[in-house]
Amino acid sequence: MRIWLMAARPRTLPAAIAPVLVGTAAAVQWAGHLPRWAAFFAALVGSIFIQIGTNLANDYSDAKRGADTADRLGPVRVTASGMVTPHRVMRATWVAFAVAIVCGLYLTAIAAGVLYTGGPRPYGYAGFGEVFVFLFFGLVAVNGSYYVQLEQLDALPLGLSISIGFLATAIIVVNNVRDVETDRRAGKNTLAVRIGRESAVQLYMVLIGGGFLVLPIALVAGEASLLPMIGLFAAPLAIKPAKTLAERRDGPALNAVLAQTGALLGVFSLLVTIGLLISA
C-alpha cells in the first residue's frame, strides 16, 4: 500500500479535488442547494482517479523512455526503481481509468491523461503539459462539475475555472522546473526545458498571482456574492514556495515547493467553496 500510495502521488491530488469543489459550490450558490449529490460524488471520484491514472501512466512512460534516472531530483518513481514491474503499473493505470469511466465523467480527459507521456507523440514531452492541466483541471473540471448539477454554463464557473486552472498549472510548472536538467538530457522537452528555468519560475509567479487576481473579477462578472473573496486569505501561503523556487535548486527543497503549491490550491479552493456555500 505504501508503494502504491507513492505511485499515486497524493501531493498532486488537490489539482483534481479543488475544481470539483469550486464548480459544485458555484452551482449551489446559484440554486440555493445541491441538486444532484450523486453527480457530485461521480465528479469527485472520477476526477481523482483520472489524476491517479495520469500519474501512473506518467510513471510507466517516463521509465520506458529513460526520463527517470538515478540522478532525478524528484520522489522515487516505482517503475524506474524496480519497486513495481512495468506490467503491474500499466495494469493499475487502466484500473484507475476504469473507475473514472464507471463514474461516467470527463471521458475525453482519460485519453489526454494517457497521452501526456504515453503514445507515439506524448504532448508532455512537447511542452504542452501546462496547457493540458489548465484545460482539464481548470476549465473542464470546474465547468463540468457545475454543468452536471444545473445543465447550463454561466460566467461565474467560467471565471472560477480560470482562477483554479492557473493555480493547478503552477503545480506542474514546479514539477518541470525541478526536473528541467534530467528532462533535457532525456529529450523530454517540457515547457521549462523550452523556455529555460528562469522564465519558468517567472511563469509560476504569474500563475499564482493570476489565480488570486481573477477571483474578484469572476465574482463580479458572475454577479455573485463577494463572500468567496475569503479565498484571498490563502495568499500568504504563496510566499514561501515562490521564494524557495526562485532561490533553491536541490530536490528536497523543490519537492517541498510542490507540496506547498498543492496545499495553496487546496486551501484557496476550500475557502472559495465555503464562501460560495455561505452566500447560498
PDB file of all heavy atoms in Angstrom, residues 123-161:
ATOM      1  N   TYR A 123       2.284  14.617 -25.543  1.00  0.00           N
ATOM      2  CA  TYR A 123       2.364  16.076 -25.511  1.00  0.00           C
ATOM      3  C   TYR A 123       3.071  16.599 -24.273  1.00  0.00           C
ATOM      4  O   TYR A 123       3.519  17.738 -24.248  1.00  0.00           O
ATOM      5  CB  TYR A 123       0.973  16.703 -25.646  1.00  0.00           C
ATOM      6  CG  TYR A 123      -0.025  16.324 -24.596  1.00  0.00           C
ATOM      7  CD1 TYR A 123      -0.083  16.997 -23.396  1.00  0.00           C
ATOM      8  CD2 TYR A 123      -0.942  15.299 -24.814  1.00  0.00           C
ATOM      9  CE1 TYR A 123      -1.010  16.655 -22.429  1.00  0.00           C
ATOM     10  CE2 TYR A 123      -1.870  14.951 -23.856  1.00  0.00           C
ATOM     11  CZ  TYR A 123      -1.901  15.633 -22.665  1.00  0.00           C
ATOM     12  OH  TYR A 123      -2.819  15.291 -21.699  1.00  0.00           O
ATOM     13  N   GLY A 124       3.209  15.762 -23.219  1.00  0.00           N
ATOM     14  CA  GLY A 124       4.010  16.173 -22.071  1.00  0.00           C
ATOM     15  C   GLY A 124       5.474  16.341 -22.434  1.00  0.00           C
ATOM     16  O   GLY A 124       6.204  17.093 -21.795  1.00  0.00           O
ATOM     17  N   TYR A 125       5.902  15.639 -23.499  1.00  0.00           N
ATOM     18  CA  TYR A 125       7.282  15.734 -23.961  1.00  0.00           C
ATOM     19  C   TYR A 125       7.449  16.873 -24.968  1.00  0.00           C
ATOM     20  O   TYR A 125       8.563  17.133 -25.418  1.00  0.00           O
ATOM     21  CB  TYR A 125       7.717  14.416 -24.623  1.00  0.00           C
ATOM     22  CG  TYR A 125       8.121  13.352 -23.641  1.00  0.00           C
ATOM     23  CD1 TYR A 125       7.198  12.762 -22.785  1.00  0.00           C
ATOM     24  CD2 TYR A 125       9.440  12.915 -23.552  1.00  0.00           C
ATOM     25  CE1 TYR A 125       7.558  11.782 -21.886  1.00  0.00           C
ATOM     26  CE2 TYR A 125       9.820  11.925 -22.661  1.00  0.00           C
ATOM     27  CZ  TYR A 125       8.866  11.364 -21.828  1.00  0.00           C
ATOM     28  OH  TYR A 125       9.235  10.390 -20.932  1.00  0.00           O
ATOM     29  N   ALA A 126       6.369  17.502 -25.354  1.00  0.00           N
ATOM     30  CA  ALA A 126       6.429  18.565 -26.360  1.00  0.00           C
ATOM     31  C   ALA A 126       6.138  19.941 -25.764  1.00  0.00           C
ATOM     32  O   ALA A 126       6.001  20.918 -26.492  1.00  0.00           O
ATOM     33  CB  ALA A 126       5.435  18.267 -27.489  1.00  0.00           C
ATOM     34  N   GLY A 127       6.023  20.024 -24.447  1.00  0.00           N
ATOM     35  CA  GLY A 127       5.827  21.319 -23.812  1.00  0.00           C
ATOM     36  C   GLY A 127       4.389  21.743 -23.639  1.00  0.00           C
ATOM     37  O   GLY A 127       4.122  22.908 -23.346  1.00  0.00           O
ATOM     38  N   PHE A 128       3.442  20.798 -23.807  1.00  0.00           N
ATOM     39  CA  PHE A 128       2.029  21.158 -23.697  1.00  0.00           C
ATOM     40  C   PHE A 128       1.385  20.663 -22.403  1.00  0.00           C
ATOM     41  O   PHE A 128       0.163  20.706 -22.263  1.00  0.00           O
ATOM     42  CB  PHE A 128       1.247  20.605 -24.897  1.00  0.00           C
ATOM     43  CG  PHE A 128       1.675  21.190 -26.208  1.00  0.00           C
ATOM     44  CD1 PHE A 128       2.281  20.397 -27.172  1.00  0.00           C
ATOM     45  CD2 PHE A 128       1.501  22.531 -26.474  1.00  0.00           C
ATOM     46  CE1 PHE A 128       2.697  20.927 -28.382  1.00  0.00           C
ATOM     47  CE2 PHE A 128       1.900  23.072 -27.677  1.00  0.00           C
ATOM     48  CZ  PHE A 128       2.500  22.283 -28.637  1.00  0.00           C
ATOM     49  N   GLY A 129       2.183  20.171 -21.463  1.00  0.00           N
ATOM     50  CA  GLY A 129       1.626  19.671 -20.214  1.00  0.00           C
ATOM     51  C   GLY A 129       0.864  20.725 -19.449  1.00  0.00           C
ATOM     52  O   GLY A 129      -0.206  20.453 -18.882  1.00  0.00           O
ATOM     53  N   GLU A 130       1.394  21.949 -19.423  1.00  0.00           N
ATOM     54  CA  GLU A 130       0.722  23.041 -18.706  1.00  0.00           C
ATOM     55  C   GLU A 130      -0.633  23.362 -19.336  1.00  0.00           C
ATOM     56  O   GLU A 130      -1.608  23.652 -18.638  1.00  0.00           O
ATOM     57  CB  GLU A 130       1.613  24.282 -18.703  1.00  0.00           C
ATOM     58  CG  GLU A 130       2.789  24.224 -17.748  1.00  0.00           C
ATOM     59  CD  GLU A 130       3.947  23.388 -18.256  1.00  0.00           C
ATOM     60  OE1 GLU A 130       3.874  22.882 -19.412  1.00  0.00           O
ATOM     61  OE2 GLU A 130       4.945  23.237 -17.532  1.00  0.00           O
ATOM     62  N   VAL A 131      -0.699  23.288 -20.666  1.00  0.00           N
ATOM     63  CA  VAL A 131      -1.970  23.539 -21.358  1.00  0.00           C
ATOM     64  C   VAL A 131      -2.990  22.479 -20.970  1.00  0.00           C
ATOM     65  O   VAL A 131      -4.169  22.784 -20.710  1.00  0.00           O
ATOM     66  CB  VAL A 131      -1.755  23.551 -22.889  1.00  0.00           C
ATOM     67  CG1 VAL A 131      -3.091  23.703 -23.612  1.00  0.00           C
ATOM     68  CG2 VAL A 131      -0.810  24.683 -23.280  1.00  0.00           C
ATOM     69  N   PHE A 132      -2.555  21.219 -20.915  1.00  0.00           N
ATOM     70  CA  PHE A 132      -3.440  20.123 -20.525  1.00  0.00           C
ATOM     71  C   PHE A 132      -4.012  20.348 -19.127  1.00  0.00           C
ATOM     72  O   PHE A 132      -5.214  20.208 -18.897  1.00  0.00           O
ATOM     73  CB  PHE A 132      -2.664  18.807 -20.568  1.00  0.00           C
ATOM     74  CG  PHE A 132      -3.286  17.702 -19.754  1.00  0.00           C
ATOM     75  CD1 PHE A 132      -4.400  17.032 -20.204  1.00  0.00           C
ATOM     76  CD2 PHE A 132      -2.749  17.354 -18.522  1.00  0.00           C
ATOM     77  CE1 PHE A 132      -4.977  16.020 -19.455  1.00  0.00           C
ATOM     78  CE2 PHE A 132      -3.317  16.341 -17.764  1.00  0.00           C
ATOM     79  CZ  PHE A 132      -4.434  15.673 -18.231  1.00  0.00           C
ATOM     80  N   VAL A 133      -3.139  20.702 -18.178  1.00  0.00           N
ATOM     81  CA  VAL A 133      -3.589  20.900 -16.800  1.00  0.00           C
ATOM     82  C   VAL A 133      -4.576  22.050 -16.713  1.00  0.00           C
ATOM     83  O   VAL A 133      -5.619  21.943 -16.049  1.00  0.00           O
ATOM     84  CB  VAL A 133      -2.385  21.145 -15.867  1.00  0.00           C
ATOM     85  CG1 VAL A 133      -2.851  21.575 -14.479  1.00  0.00           C
ATOM     86  CG2 VAL A 133      -1.538  19.885 -15.764  1.00  0.00           C
ATOM     87  N   PHE A 134      -4.277  23.156 -17.377  1.00  0.00           N
ATOM     88  CA  PHE A 134      -5.182  24.311 -17.343  1.00  0.00           C
ATOM     89  C   PHE A 134      -6.550  23.958 -17.931  1.00  0.00           C
ATOM     90  O   PHE A 134      -7.593  24.307 -17.357  1.00  0.00           O
ATOM     91  CB  PHE A 134      -4.581  25.484 -18.111  1.00  0.00           C
ATOM     92  CG  PHE A 134      -5.473  26.694 -18.153  1.00  0.00           C
ATOM     93  CD1 PHE A 134      -5.617  27.502 -17.034  1.00  0.00           C
ATOM     94  CD2 PHE A 134      -6.184  27.004 -19.292  1.00  0.00           C
ATOM     95  CE1 PHE A 134      -6.455  28.607 -17.059  1.00  0.00           C
ATOM     96  CE2 PHE A 134      -7.024  28.109 -19.336  1.00  0.00           C
ATOM     97  CZ  PHE A 134      -7.159  28.908 -18.212  1.00  0.00           C
ATOM     98  N   LEU A 135      -6.542  23.251 -19.048  1.00  0.00           N
ATOM     99  CA  LEU A 135      -7.806  22.905 -19.701  1.00  0.00           C
ATOM    100  C   LEU A 135      -8.637  21.934 -18.873  1.00  0.00           C
ATOM    101  O   LEU A 135      -9.824  22.171 -18.619  1.00  0.00           O
ATOM    102  CB  LEU A 135      -7.537  22.308 -21.086  1.00  0.00           C
ATOM    103  CG  LEU A 135      -7.051  23.265 -22.174  1.00  0.00           C
ATOM    104  CD1 LEU A 135      -6.754  22.502 -23.457  1.00  0.00           C
ATOM    105  CD2 LEU A 135      -8.090  24.347 -22.439  1.00  0.00           C
ATOM    106  N   PHE A 136      -8.004  20.834 -18.429  1.00  0.00           N
ATOM    107  CA  PHE A 136      -8.783  19.760 -17.822  1.00  0.00           C
ATOM    108  C   PHE A 136      -8.973  19.912 -16.321  1.00  0.00           C
ATOM    109  O   PHE A 136     -10.007  19.521 -15.793  1.00  0.00           O
ATOM    110  CB  PHE A 136      -8.158  18.404 -18.148  1.00  0.00           C
ATOM    111  CG  PHE A 136      -8.397  17.992 -19.567  1.00  0.00           C
ATOM    112  CD1 PHE A 136      -7.407  18.148 -20.520  1.00  0.00           C
ATOM    113  CD2 PHE A 136      -9.616  17.489 -19.967  1.00  0.00           C
ATOM    114  CE1 PHE A 136      -7.625  17.797 -21.843  1.00  0.00           C
ATOM    115  CE2 PHE A 136      -9.861  17.132 -21.277  1.00  0.00           C
ATOM    116  CZ  PHE A 136      -8.853  17.286 -22.229  1.00  0.00           C
ATOM    117  N   PHE A 137      -7.992  20.493 -15.626  1.00  0.00           N
ATOM    118  CA  PHE A 137      -8.163  20.670 -14.183  1.00  0.00           C
ATOM    119  C   PHE A 137      -8.596  22.085 -13.834  1.00  0.00           C
ATOM    120  O   PHE A 137      -8.747  22.408 -12.660  1.00  0.00           O
ATOM    121  CB  PHE A 137      -6.877  20.282 -13.447  1.00  0.00           C
ATOM    122  CG  PHE A 137      -6.616  18.814 -13.501  1.00  0.00           C
ATOM    123  CD1 PHE A 137      -5.743  18.290 -14.434  1.00  0.00           C
ATOM    124  CD2 PHE A 137      -7.271  17.953 -12.652  1.00  0.00           C
ATOM    125  CE1 PHE A 137      -5.521  16.925 -14.510  1.00  0.00           C
ATOM    126  CE2 PHE A 137      -7.066  16.585 -12.719  1.00  0.00           C
ATOM    127  CZ  PHE A 137      -6.181  16.070 -13.656  1.00  0.00           C
ATOM    128  N   GLY A 138      -8.822  22.882 -14.863  1.00  0.00           N
ATOM    129  CA  GLY A 138      -9.380  24.210 -14.678  1.00  0.00           C
ATOM    130  C   GLY A 138     -10.717  24.300 -15.385  1.00  0.00           C
ATOM    131  O   GLY A 138     -11.781  24.115 -14.797  1.00  0.00           O
ATOM    132  N   LEU A 139     -10.681  24.542 -16.691  1.00  0.00           N
ATOM    133  CA  LEU A 139     -11.902  24.791 -17.464  1.00  0.00           C
ATOM    134  C   LEU A 139     -12.866  23.605 -17.452  1.00  0.00           C
ATOM    135  O   LEU A 139     -14.050  23.769 -17.145  1.00  0.00           O
ATOM    136  CB  LEU A 139     -11.527  25.148 -18.907  1.00  0.00           C
ATOM    137  CG  LEU A 139     -10.635  26.376 -19.100  1.00  0.00           C
ATOM    138  CD1 LEU A 139     -10.470  26.679 -20.579  1.00  0.00           C
ATOM    139  CD2 LEU A 139     -11.206  27.594 -18.365  1.00  0.00           C
ATOM    140  N   VAL A 140     -12.370  22.413 -17.790  1.00  0.00           N
ATOM    141  CA  VAL A 140     -13.269  21.263 -17.899  1.00  0.00           C
ATOM    142  C   VAL A 140     -13.810  20.838 -16.541  1.00  0.00           C
ATOM    143  O   VAL A 140     -15.022  20.622 -16.374  1.00  0.00           O
ATOM    144  CB  VAL A 140     -12.544  20.081 -18.579  1.00  0.00           C
ATOM    145  CG1 VAL A 140     -13.412  18.815 -18.510  1.00  0.00           C
ATOM    146  CG2 VAL A 140     -12.233  20.411 -20.025  1.00  0.00           C
ATOM    147  N   ALA A 141     -12.943  20.722 -15.533  1.00  0.00           N
ATOM    148  CA  ALA A 141     -13.368  20.182 -14.241  1.00  0.00           C
ATOM    149  C   ALA A 141     -14.333  21.110 -13.514  1.00  0.00           C
ATOM    150  O   ALA A 141     -15.346  20.666 -12.974  1.00  0.00           O
ATOM    151  CB  ALA A 141     -12.151  19.891 -13.371  1.00  0.00           C
ATOM    152  N   VAL A 142     -14.037  22.411 -13.471  1.00  0.00           N
ATOM    153  CA  VAL A 142     -14.918  23.341 -12.758  1.00  0.00           C
ATOM    154  C   VAL A 142     -16.241  23.495 -13.499  1.00  0.00           C
ATOM    155  O   VAL A 142     -17.329  23.340 -12.911  1.00  0.00           O
ATOM    156  CB  VAL A 142     -14.240  24.721 -12.582  1.00  0.00           C
ATOM    157  CG1 VAL A 142     -15.229  25.717 -11.961  1.00  0.00           C
ATOM    158  CG2 VAL A 142     -13.001  24.599 -11.704  1.00  0.00           C
ATOM    159  N   ASN A 143     -16.178  23.809 -14.798  1.00  0.00           N
ATOM    160  CA  ASN A 143     -17.413  23.994 -15.557  1.00  0.00           C
ATOM    161  C   ASN A 143     -18.187  22.694 -15.709  1.00  0.00           C
ATOM    162  O   ASN A 143     -19.424  22.699 -15.699  1.00  0.00           O
ATOM    163  CB  ASN A 143     -17.083  24.581 -16.942  1.00  0.00           C
ATOM    164  CG  ASN A 143     -16.613  26.009 -16.868  1.00  0.00           C
ATOM    165  OD1 ASN A 143     -17.385  26.921 -16.581  1.00  0.00           O
ATOM    166  ND2 ASN A 143     -15.326  26.236 -17.105  1.00  0.00           N
ATOM    167  N   GLY A 144     -17.471  21.572 -15.808  1.00  0.00           N
ATOM    168  CA  GLY A 144     -18.157  20.278 -15.888  1.00  0.00           C
ATOM    169  C   GLY A 144     -18.897  19.950 -14.611  1.00  0.00           C
ATOM    170  O   GLY A 144     -20.027  19.451 -14.643  1.00  0.00           O
ATOM    171  N   SER A 145     -18.259  20.239 -13.456  1.00  0.00           N
ATOM    172  CA  SER A 145     -18.917  19.974 -12.172  1.00  0.00           C
ATOM    173  C   SER A 145     -20.154  20.861 -12.003  1.00  0.00           C
ATOM    174  O   SER A 145     -21.147  20.437 -11.404  1.00  0.00           O
ATOM    175  CB  SER A 145     -17.929  20.230 -11.026  1.00  0.00           C
ATOM    176  OG  SER A 145     -16.839  19.342 -11.116  1.00  0.00           O
ATOM    177  N   TYR A 146     -20.084  22.069 -12.515  1.00  0.00           N
ATOM    178  CA  TYR A 146     -21.228  22.980 -12.465  1.00  0.00           C
ATOM    179  C   TYR A 146     -22.334  22.474 -13.399  1.00  0.00           C
ATOM    180  O   TYR A 146     -23.519  22.453 -13.038  1.00  0.00           O
ATOM    181  CB  TYR A 146     -20.765  24.374 -12.887  1.00  0.00           C
ATOM    182  CG  TYR A 146     -21.808  25.469 -12.795  1.00  0.00           C
ATOM    183  CD1 TYR A 146     -21.974  26.206 -11.627  1.00  0.00           C
ATOM    184  CD2 TYR A 146     -22.614  25.783 -13.887  1.00  0.00           C
ATOM    185  CE1 TYR A 146     -22.910  27.230 -11.553  1.00  0.00           C
ATOM    186  CE2 TYR A 146     -23.565  26.792 -13.812  1.00  0.00           C
ATOM    187  CZ  TYR A 146     -23.700  27.518 -12.641  1.00  0.00           C
ATOM    188  OH  TYR A 146     -24.632  28.537 -12.575  1.00  0.00           O
ATOM    189  N   TYR A 147     -21.934  22.049 -14.589  1.00  0.00           N
ATOM    190  CA  TYR A 147     -22.911  21.651 -15.599  1.00  0.00           C
ATOM    191  C   TYR A 147     -23.703  20.411 -15.184  1.00  0.00           C
ATOM    192  O   TYR A 147     -24.918  20.334 -15.436  1.00  0.00           O
ATOM    193  CB  TYR A 147     -22.207  21.384 -16.934  1.00  0.00           C
ATOM    194  CG  TYR A 147     -23.163  21.069 -18.054  1.00  0.00           C
ATOM    195  CD1 TYR A 147     -23.802  22.090 -18.760  1.00  0.00           C
ATOM    196  CD2 TYR A 147     -23.453  19.744 -18.398  1.00  0.00           C
ATOM    197  CE1 TYR A 147     -24.695  21.801 -19.779  1.00  0.00           C
ATOM    198  CE2 TYR A 147     -24.340  19.448 -19.413  1.00  0.00           C
ATOM    199  CZ  TYR A 147     -24.961  20.483 -20.098  1.00  0.00           C
ATOM    200  OH  TYR A 147     -25.856  20.200 -21.100  1.00  0.00           O
ATOM    201  N   VAL A 148     -23.037  19.429 -14.552  1.00  0.00           N
ATOM    202  CA  VAL A 148     -23.766  18.213 -14.190  1.00  0.00           C
ATOM    203  C   VAL A 148     -24.786  18.474 -13.091  1.00  0.00           C
ATOM    204  O   VAL A 148     -25.678  17.645 -12.867  1.00  0.00           O
ATOM    205  CB  VAL A 148     -22.813  17.079 -13.748  1.00  0.00           C
ATOM    206  CG1 VAL A 148     -21.901  16.671 -14.880  1.00  0.00           C
ATOM    207  CG2 VAL A 148     -22.017  17.468 -12.515  1.00  0.00           C
ATOM    208  N   GLN A 149     -24.692  19.605 -12.419  1.00  0.00           N
ATOM    209  CA  GLN A 149     -25.685  19.967 -11.418  1.00  0.00           C
ATOM    210  C   GLN A 149     -26.865  20.724 -12.024  1.00  0.00           C
ATOM    211  O   GLN A 149     -28.021  20.468 -11.686  1.00  0.00           O
ATOM    212  CB  GLN A 149     -25.041  20.831 -10.325  1.00  0.00           C
ATOM    213  CG  GLN A 149     -23.984  20.121  -9.499  1.00  0.00           C
ATOM    214  CD  GLN A 149     -24.556  18.979  -8.675  1.00  0.00           C
ATOM    215  OE1 GLN A 149     -25.709  18.996  -8.263  1.00  0.00           O
ATOM    216  NE2 GLN A 149     -23.737  17.955  -8.444  1.00  0.00           N
ATOM    217  N   LEU A 150     -26.588  21.663 -12.934  1.00  0.00           N
ATOM    218  CA  LEU A 150     -27.629  22.570 -13.428  1.00  0.00           C
ATOM    219  C   LEU A 150     -27.907  22.456 -14.923  1.00  0.00           C
ATOM    220  O   LEU A 150     -28.857  23.064 -15.419  1.00  0.00           O
ATOM    221  CB  LEU A 150     -27.234  24.021 -13.119  1.00  0.00           C
ATOM    222  CG  LEU A 150     -27.007  24.352 -11.644  1.00  0.00           C
ATOM    223  CD1 LEU A 150     -26.501  25.785 -11.500  1.00  0.00           C
ATOM    224  CD2 LEU A 150     -28.293  24.166 -10.843  1.00  0.00           C
ATOM    225  N   GLU A 151     -27.076  21.695 -15.638  1.00  0.00           N
ATOM    226  CA  GLU A 151     -27.208  21.527 -17.088  1.00  0.00           C
ATOM    227  C   GLU A 151     -27.170  22.875 -17.811  1.00  0.00           C
ATOM    228  O   GLU A 151     -27.921  23.114 -18.756  1.00  0.00           O
ATOM    229  CB  GLU A 151     -28.481  20.754 -17.424  1.00  0.00           C
ATOM    230  CG  GLU A 151     -28.469  19.336 -16.882  1.00  0.00           C
ATOM    231  CD  GLU A 151     -29.692  18.531 -17.290  1.00  0.00           C
ATOM    232  OE1 GLU A 151     -30.493  19.053 -18.108  1.00  0.00           O
ATOM    233  OE2 GLU A 151     -29.851  17.413 -16.789  1.00  0.00           O
ATOM    234  N   GLN A 152     -26.288  23.744 -17.376  1.00  0.00           N
ATOM    235  CA  GLN A 152     -26.076  25.029 -18.033  1.00  0.00           C
ATOM    236  C   GLN A 152     -24.692  25.538 -17.659  1.00  0.00           C
ATOM    237  O   GLN A 152     -24.075  25.056 -16.709  1.00  0.00           O
ATOM    238  CB  GLN A 152     -27.131  26.052 -17.598  1.00  0.00           C
ATOM    239  CG  GLN A 152     -27.047  26.432 -16.114  1.00  0.00           C
ATOM    240  CD  GLN A 152     -28.178  27.356 -15.692  1.00  0.00           C
ATOM    241  OE1 GLN A 152     -29.347  27.076 -15.984  1.00  0.00           O
ATOM    242  NE2 GLN A 152     -27.847  28.441 -15.024  1.00  0.00           N
ATOM    243  N   LEU A 153     -24.201  26.473 -18.437  1.00  0.00           N
ATOM    244  CA  LEU A 153     -22.909  27.107 -18.175  1.00  0.00           C
ATOM    245  C   LEU A 153     -23.128  28.590 -17.948  1.00  0.00           C
ATOM    246  O   LEU A 153     -23.989  29.204 -18.594  1.00  0.00           O
ATOM    247  CB  LEU A 153     -21.956  26.875 -19.350  1.00  0.00           C
ATOM    248  CG  LEU A 153     -21.553  25.419 -19.610  1.00  0.00           C
ATOM    249  CD1 LEU A 153     -20.719  25.318 -20.875  1.00  0.00           C
ATOM    250  CD2 LEU A 153     -20.784  24.846 -18.424  1.00  0.00           C
ATOM    251  N   ASP A 154     -22.360  29.182 -17.020  1.00  0.00           N
ATOM    252  CA  ASP A 154     -22.529  30.583 -16.669  1.00  0.00           C
ATOM    253  C   ASP A 154     -21.173  31.254 -16.492  1.00  0.00           C
ATOM    254  O   ASP A 154     -20.125  30.600 -16.450  1.00  0.00           O
ATOM    255  CB  ASP A 154     -23.350  30.714 -15.376  1.00  0.00           C
ATOM    256  CG  ASP A 154     -24.785  30.245 -15.564  1.00  0.00           C
ATOM    257  OD1 ASP A 154     -25.492  30.832 -16.403  1.00  0.00           O
ATOM    258  OD2 ASP A 154     -25.191  29.281 -14.884  1.00  0.00           O
ATOM    259  N   ALA A 155     -21.222  32.577 -16.362  1.00  0.00           N
ATOM    260  CA  ALA A 155     -19.992  33.366 -16.237  1.00  0.00           C
ATOM    261  C   ALA A 155     -19.238  33.053 -14.951  1.00  0.00           C
ATOM    262  O   ALA A 155     -18.006  33.051 -14.936  1.00  0.00           O
ATOM    263  CB  ALA A 155     -20.326  34.862 -16.306  1.00  0.00           C
ATOM    264  N   LEU A 156     -19.960  32.788 -13.862  1.00  0.00           N
ATOM    265  CA  LEU A 156     -19.296  32.545 -12.583  1.00  0.00           C
ATOM    266  C   LEU A 156     -18.374  31.327 -12.624  1.00  0.00           C
ATOM    267  O   LEU A 156     -17.186  31.447 -12.293  1.00  0.00           O
ATOM    268  CB  LEU A 156     -20.322  32.407 -11.456  1.00  0.00           C
ATOM    269  CG  LEU A 156     -19.747  32.085 -10.068  1.00  0.00           C
ATOM    270  CD1 LEU A 156     -18.798  33.182  -9.623  1.00  0.00           C
ATOM    271  CD2 LEU A 156     -20.874  31.890  -9.054  1.00  0.00           C
ATOM    272  N   PRO A 157     -18.864  30.139 -12.994  1.00  0.00           N
ATOM    273  CA  PRO A 157     -17.945  28.997 -13.037  1.00  0.00           C
ATOM    274  C   PRO A 157     -16.838  29.170 -14.067  1.00  0.00           C
ATOM    275  O   PRO A 157     -15.723  28.672 -13.872  1.00  0.00           O
ATOM    276  CB  PRO A 157     -18.852  27.810 -13.380  1.00  0.00           C
ATOM    277  CG  PRO A 157     -20.047  28.418 -14.030  1.00  0.00           C
ATOM    278  CD  PRO A 157     -20.245  29.733 -13.337  1.00  0.00           C
ATOM    279  N   LEU A 158     -17.111  29.885 -15.151  1.00  0.00           N
ATOM    280  CA  LEU A 158     -16.071  30.122 -16.149  1.00  0.00           C
ATOM    281  C   LEU A 158     -14.927  30.919 -15.542  1.00  0.00           C
ATOM    282  O   LEU A 158     -13.748  30.569 -15.688  1.00  0.00           O
ATOM    283  CB  LEU A 158     -16.645  30.857 -17.355  1.00  0.00           C
ATOM    284  CG  LEU A 158     -15.622  31.254 -18.435  1.00  0.00           C
ATOM    285  CD1 LEU A 158     -14.929  30.009 -18.994  1.00  0.00           C
ATOM    286  CD2 LEU A 158     -16.296  32.036 -19.549  1.00  0.00           C
ATOM    287  N   GLY A 159     -15.268  32.004 -14.831  1.00  0.00           N
ATOM    288  CA  GLY A 159     -14.228  32.814 -14.195  1.00  0.00           C
ATOM    289  C   GLY A 159     -13.484  32.043 -13.120  1.00  0.00           C
ATOM    290  O   GLY A 159     -12.251  32.109 -13.031  1.00  0.00           O
ATOM    291  N   LEU A 160     -14.228  31.284 -12.316  1.00  0.00           N
ATOM    292  CA  LEU A 160     -13.589  30.496 -11.256  1.00  0.00           C
ATOM    293  C   LEU A 160     -12.690  29.405 -11.834  1.00  0.00           C
ATOM    294  O   LEU A 160     -11.652  29.074 -11.259  1.00  0.00           O
ATOM    295  CB  LEU A 160     -14.660  29.865 -10.359  1.00  0.00           C
ATOM    296  CG  LEU A 160     -15.485  30.846  -9.517  1.00  0.00           C
ATOM    297  CD1 LEU A 160     -16.600  30.104  -8.786  1.00  0.00           C
ATOM    298  CD2 LEU A 160     -14.607  31.599  -8.524  1.00  0.00           C
ATOM    299  N   SER A 161     -13.074  28.856 -12.982  1.00  0.00           N
ATOM    300  CA  SER A 161     -12.267  27.807 -13.600  1.00  0.00           C
ATOM    301  C   SER A 161     -10.919  28.345 -14.060  1.00  0.00           C
ATOM    302  O   SER A 161      -9.912  27.621 -14.043  1.00  0.00           O
ATOM    303  CB  SER A 161     -13.015  27.189 -14.785  1.00  0.00           C
ATOM    304  OG  SER A 161     -13.091  28.084 -15.890  1.00  0.00           O
TER     305      SER A 161
END
